[in-house]
Amino acid sequence: MADIKKLAEELVNLTVKDVNELAEILKEEYGIEPAAAAVAVAGGAAAGEAEGGAEQTEFDVILKSAGGSKLAIVKLVKEMTGVGLKEAKEVVDKAPAPIKEKVSKEEAESLKSQLEEAGAEVELK
């Protein structure tokens, strides 16, 4: 069990660059689409949170502004949502706009931190 906890800690501390590299490795070497894996992980986490009680369990990730690095944010939104480059650009251009809706707290915070590391302004609702 200690190895699982260590792995989880390492995953939580990954940078955006590391996450992108991991996604590529999972896709190319193992045939795993990272978006599908994230949904599976988020689904398991949401099920565990449901037992908690009155705590908010679903969050919306709202892009308030792309900041100075718009291209990086477009690429990140594309990766996070699984939409095409054109659709991702439209979302970023329409800011404030929702990136993902009704996701678990862990997934929402992860998405927020990745976007903020890339220079975006993000809000969780």
Side-chain angles (χ1 to χ4, degrees):
M1 198 51 95
D3 292 336
I4 300 287
K5 286 186 179 185
K6 182 179 176 186
L7 176 62
E9 186 175 317
E10 289 176 14
L11 287 173
V12 169
N13 292 319
L14 291 176
T15 65
V16 173
K17 181 181 177 188
D18 293 336
V19 170
N20 289 337
E21 286 180 33
L22 177 60
E24 282 299 312
I25 291 169
L26 289 173
K27 185 176 181 180
E28 291 175 7
E29 293 184 21
Y30 300 98
I32 299 171
E33 290 293 326
V39 170
V41 169
E49 288 179 1
E51 298 171 4
E55 185 177 327
Q56 182 178 351
T57 59
E58 293 183 337
F59 294 83
D60 294 342
V61 181
I62 310 295
L63 176 69
K64 292 179 80 176
S65 78
S69 184
K70 185 176 174 182
L71 181 58
I73 302 303
V74 170
K75 288 180 180 179
L76 203 50
V77 168
K78 176 184 179 290
E79 214 175 273
M80 291 175 168
T81 60
V83 299
L85 192 58
K86 180 181 177 185
E87 292 83 2
K89 182 182 180 300
E90 288 173 0
V91 169
V92 173
D93 287 342
K94 291 180 184 177
I99 301 296
K100 280 202 166 185
E101 297 176 317
K102 298 184 179 180
V103 296
S104 70
K105 182 177 182 179
E106 288 82 11
E107 183 179 2
E109 288 176 349
S110 173
L111 295 173
K112 180 180 179 186
S113 68
Q114 290 177 41
L115 287 162
E116 287 178 339
E117 281 182 34
E121 187 178 340
V122 183
E123 175 183 20
L124 299 181
K125 286 190 176 182

